[in-house]
Amino acid sequence: MTAQQPLTYDALVELATADSSVVGLVLKGSRAHDGMISRHSDHDLYVVVADDATTDLARFAGHRTAELDLVIVSVTEFRAAGMPGFERYALARARIVLDRLDGGIARILADKARLGADEAFQEARGRLDAYANSLYRSVKNHRDGQALAARLDAADSMRFLLELLFAFDRRPRPYNKYLEWELARHPLPGWDTDVLLRALDRISATGDVSVQRHLFTLVEAAAREAGHGEVLDAWGEDLDLMRPQ
């Protein structure tokens, strides 16, 4: 493509489809989420090339414009992308444009969308402890008159809480941008989406201790049911500060 004719999404898809070394095209980001496209949305595209194959499209590696953000990887590299890493959610909800592996691209994406049982258990264990730590610090700082610290710790705790709740369901946590989209279409089992979102909003904005404590009672019940009582019990009497007074 020349400077007068920049590479477009449609042009790239046409080139890739005509290239036998390309075995998959995967679109991620807002264009893979119905209703999330804006005038600022570009096309975030993975071009998946057969292992050990060569392609003329390699000249476009790293291409990034307001129209098209391109990543060119081998099948092996694509399988490893986001495992673990920040790309996992994006790929879990990605849209397949081309799959020449008889469903192999779809299976790779499905693996990213579902955490393994042990992986999810260990993830939840760590995030539960981190959530309790931030919650405890927030409540303690509120008690001691440290208002800013209390609000910052409360906001921090929401990150760990969301990672925990999605780990309970063996799913990668969505980016904040897609949280409401995700919950509207794929609610967390056992959680009222509206109630949860209101609590997240209130806690993030104000650090409201009563809301934090009420939410913790729900989290504690879910965590114990999921087999994480040991993590909570390690907090001993400090749990009393986290619970409703």
Side-chain angles (χ1 to χ4, degrees):
M1 300 295 167
T2 68
Q4 291 73 35
Q5 296 177 305
L7 181 65
T8 66
Y9 170 75
D10 289 337
L12 188 283
V13 169
E14 184 177 352
L15 288 172
T17 302
D19 188 335
S20 61
S21 66
V22 174
V23 296
L25 293 174
V26 176
L27 186 66
K28 67 182 182 72
S30 57
R31 291 187 179 275
H33 289 72
D34 292 336
M36 293 296 293
I37 299 174
S38 76
R39 64 186 181 89
H40 302 292
S41 298
D42 64 354
H43 293 80
D44 292 299
L45 189 69
Y46 268 81
V47 177
V48 186
V49 179
D51 287 336
D52 300 323
T54 58
T55 173
D56 288 341
L57 295 179
R59 69 187 188 276
F60 296 123
H63 177 90
R64 187 170 188 175
T65 65
E67 155 77 5
L68 179 62
D69 189 355
L70 200 57
V71 178
I72 301 176
V73 293
S74 68
V75 173
T76 297
E77 291 169 332
F78 183 63
R79 185 174 285 110
M83 303 290 280
F86 68 94
E87 278 285 83
R88 185 162 189 173
Y89 173 76
L91 291 170
R93 291 293 179 218
R95 180 171 296 167
I96 297 172
V97 179
L98 176 69
D99 185 348
R100 285 188 172 130
L101 297 180
D102 296 325
I105 298 295
R107 288 190 292 274
I108 290 173
L109 295 182
D111 287 342
K112 297 180 190 299
R114 184 73 169 163
L115 276 63
D118 186 63
E119 177 189 12
F121 187 87
Q122 295 303 324
E123 175 84 1
R125 181 183 179 88
R127 294 303 180 263
L128 174 60
D129 197 47
Y131 164 64
N133 187 288
S134 290
L135 168 61
Y136 175 72
R137 291 176 181 277
S138 177
V139 175
K140 187 171 65 170
N141 282 325
H142 174 80
R143 179 199 64 189
D144 296 341
Q146 300 290 333
L148 176 59
R151 291 196 303 273
L152 291 174
D153 284 325
D156 285 346
S157 75
M158 294 298 92
R159 166 197 165 191
F160 301 121
L161 172 64
L162 287 170
E163 290 171 349
L164 169 65
L165 297 185
F166 278 93
F168 281 160
D169 199 35
R170 295 177 58 184
R171 290 153 61 185
R173 174 199 163 177
Y175 305 150
N176 292 333
K177 177 180 180 179
Y178 301 119
L179 177 62
E180 292 178 271
W181 184 97
E182 180 76 17
L183 291 177
R185 291 159 179 77
H186 310 281
L188 289 166
W191 290 85
D192 183 303
T193 294
D194 290 338
V195 170
L196 176 60
L197 288 175
R198 284 197 299 270
L200 292 170
D201 187 22
R202 179 71 177 172
I203 293 169
S204 296
T206 70
D208 189 312
V209 169
S210 64
V211 177
Q212 289 194 76
R213 284 172 165 157
H214 174 69
L215 184 58
F216 179 70
T217 63
L218 304 179
V219 175
E220 180 175 11
R224 291 189 183 280
E225 183 178 352
H228 298 290
E230 180 183 354
V231 174
L232 293 166
D233 292 339
W235 282 86
E237 294 181 357
D238 288 337
L239 285 174
D240 294 336
L241 196 63
M242 307 179 205
R243 292 165 173 157
Q245 303 299 291

